[in-house]
Amino acid sequence: MLSEQFSTPPAWHHDNIVPTILYIFTYDLIQYGGVKAATLSVSSLSKYTNIYKTLSNHPLTYIQACDHDGLMLWATTLYESIDSEGDRWLIYNFLRFLPQLSVTEHFDITQFSSPFLSLSVDPFRLSVDQCFITLEALFSQSNGSALQRLFCAVALILGFYGALRRGEVLRLRCQDIVCNPDNPCRFTLRICNTSEGYTKNKSTRFVYLMLPESVAKLVRVIRHIKRHCSPTTPLLGFENESMTSRQLHYLLPVTKALKALWGNNVRFHHLRHSGAHWLMQQGLLLAFDWDHSPFCVGDATQTMLTKQACQERFYFWLEGREFSHMNDGLLFDVIGEQLGHSYYATTRWSYLHGIEWLPPLFLINERGFEYNELRYLLGIKPESKDVFRFLNTLTSKNQDTGTHSTLRLSELELTAYLLKKKGFKQLRQASLIQDSFEVPKDDNHFLALWLSHCTESIVQPDNRQSSTTIFNYQTKHLLKSLNTNDETIFSSLSAFWALSGRHQPIFLTKQQRQALHQLGPILVDQDNQMLSLTVRCNRDNGLRFQQVFRTPLFRCCHFTFELQQNRKSKITKNLRLLDTYFSTDKDTLTTRKVDRGSSQLTITLTFIPQAPLLFQMLCDFLTYPKREQYEKTIHG
């Protein structure tokens, strides 16, 4: 019953997204209950959802929802418009649900909470290893087109390494990212106000990135693809693609991947918290002059925390000088500026969660554990020699215990095992490093992974319906063409994408292909990018025409109808059939009378985008079964 009533959610409308949010809020209440109850009665549901009367007077646009200050202003105005404490409590429950949605995940509910309540923080942070694992998952997914997967991956990279907010990633334009000519792994980002929105503090800042070569190549690929676009074109997405569309198709998949891999509470905004955390650790490692990180982290993260990597990350400030030559009192201010914080207190309070990662930085000499102390911590009997076997499980260097009464052991190594609360017998199977990712030895690792999941065939079967074929125009051949000197190729691709259904899959069913075959042969004019077919002007052909050509795929074509009418017959009936089944107001219609022959209708489709390659791919897709049979005959 629930699936029937809530099978189709309302569409997202950019001018007011409140109805869709209220729908999801209601569905969540019905499916999972409330905060304190697993199930809710009908009266409780009615009580919680009657707030639509109040919400109807306070619409929320999508642009406003993406802007933190705009969203908070809307919520404050809504909250203050209510006089009743009971109604305010109901609205508070609705507002508390907003961070669960990707579009409003940056909403700060604490501003509506009592100052006497204990503060709660969300301390989750991703490591570099987890970021790489997520990248592989995004490239390996079967859904989405080739360019969509690439845009999603770069959104993840910018959010993690740049510690950017959602809106900052979305609004980043081609002119706002510059690659250093001396070091192609070094990038400068300009975070500023644009026509699509404003920064949180309404001011401009510059973010300096040092990316691993394997992920830097992905960013450079997008910059190269868009090298001929207008400088104000957003870095992610097609030309003239709306901010709403970019959020739904490039940021939302990243959020879903994060939730699937690392837990349902993980959000896109955690990428910013993660970037801030590792930026601070890199700065502190420089300050304490560590050659290698003392932290027990994965291989990819450990590579990020070497002295060379830390120096390169802060090159924008050091400019080749040693950290000891700098005013170290400015370190925290420099880090805060990268995050867009005016005060270090903001960075410390909201982004640097916990203190468990600080002590190893201050432990210059490893702490000594007496033999008896170590035996007590591990719960080993006095007569047992298991202490030495325990050291071997840690792959620590064996020491001459016959001449020394103190065993050298890293406190971090010991603590990692003690926190697992496992017996000594299970320690050998326990892993110190979780979610480790081997650093790619090949700098083309992620680029090759992306290309390996791009296909050569323009036709893909539909997993849901075997008789349906999907038009895969973003093939490897098309992606290679983006590397040519043709300045209009990406603009033409964007035009085709916009006209032919945007992110919706393009397909032809078995019935549509049969109707296309019944209409007769299609003539192709490659030079003028035109298709034409001649049919009888009757109801049956009109229905077949609608079934095939009035689909999103053919919105990229302009239709011209030429009616050849025998002079001896009346034209009124055929004109009526044309208006009913064939032509629309956007089409071109001409009539021509002939002395001999029967009446017939010639339909010409002119391909709108100036892209010969896309036109050829469209022709191949329409004649796919014949081409397949031809290839089988040749190779047979």
Side-chain angles (χ1 to χ4, degrees), residues 14-55:
H14 64 87
D15 56 340
N16 186 15
I17 65 174
V18 172
T20 307
I21 295 179
L22 184 59
Y23 166 88
I24 300 174
F25 171 71
T26 306
Y27 182 86
D28 189 82
L29 286 176
I30 296 174
Q31 188 79 355
Y32 305 106
V35 177
K36 297 182 180 180
T39 58
L40 296 175
S41 63
V42 176
S43 59
S44 298
L45 289 171
S46 177
K47 178 181 179 181
Y48 279 106
T49 57
N50 271 337
I51 56 176
Y52 74 89
K53 299 176 182 177
T54 304
L55 293 172

Side-chain angles (χ1 to χ4, degrees), residues 56 118-119 193 255 284 337 430 433 461 475 506 516 520 552:
S56 61
S118 59
L119 293 175
N193 302 326
T255 300
L284 292 177
E337 288 177 358
I433 302 173
T475 61
I506 305 173
L516 183 63

Side-chain angles (χ1 to χ4, degrees), residues 441-452:
K441 297 179 181 179
D442 183 6
D443 292 337
N444 293 320
H445 174 77
F446 290 113
L447 183 61
L449 181 63
W450 172 57
L451 291 174
S452 67

Side-chain angles (χ1 to χ4, degrees), residues 522-527 529-532 615-616 619 622-623:
I522 298 179
L523 302 179
V524 179
D525 183 354
Q526 290 285 357
D527 295 334
Q529 295 189 181
M530 297 171 62
L531 301 172
S532 63
F615 177 72
Q616 180 62 54
C619 296
L622 294 178
T623 58

Side-chain angles (χ1 to χ4, degrees), residues 465-469 507-517 547-548:
Q465 192 171 356
S466 58
S467 61
T468 300
T469 51
F507 59 87
L508 283 179
T509 65
K510 181 179 180 181
Q511 293 75 16
Q512 287 175 316
R513 288 195 176 276
Q514 288 177 347
L516 183 63
H517 176 72
Q547 186 179 4
V548 176

Side-chain angles (χ1 to χ4, degrees), residues 17-18 21-22 24-26 28-29 35 48-49 51-52 54-55 58-60 64-65 68-82 84-113 267:
I17 65 174
V18 172
I21 295 179
L22 184 59
I24 300 174
F25 171 71
T26 306
D28 189 82
L29 286 176
V35 177
Y48 279 106
T49 57
I51 56 176
Y52 74 89
T54 304
L55 293 172
H58 295 82
L60 174 66
Q64 192 177 5
H68 179 270
D69 291 344
L71 179 61
M72 298 307 299
L73 178 62
W74 170 83
T76 303
T77 305
L78 170 64
Y79 193 79
E80 292 179 349
S81 67
I82 304 171
S84 171
E85 287 296 326
D87 292 340
R88 281 193 171 188
W89 181 78
L90 293 173
I91 289 294
Y92 172 81
N93 280 278
F94 175 78
L95 296 177
R96 185 167 54 178
F97 180 75
L98 295 184
Q100 305 301 319
L101 302 176
S102 59
V103 67
T104 53
E105 65 178 10
H106 54 276
F107 180 79
D108 185 10
I109 190 60
T110 59
Q111 295 192 21
F112 300 88
S113 304
R267 298 170 287 148

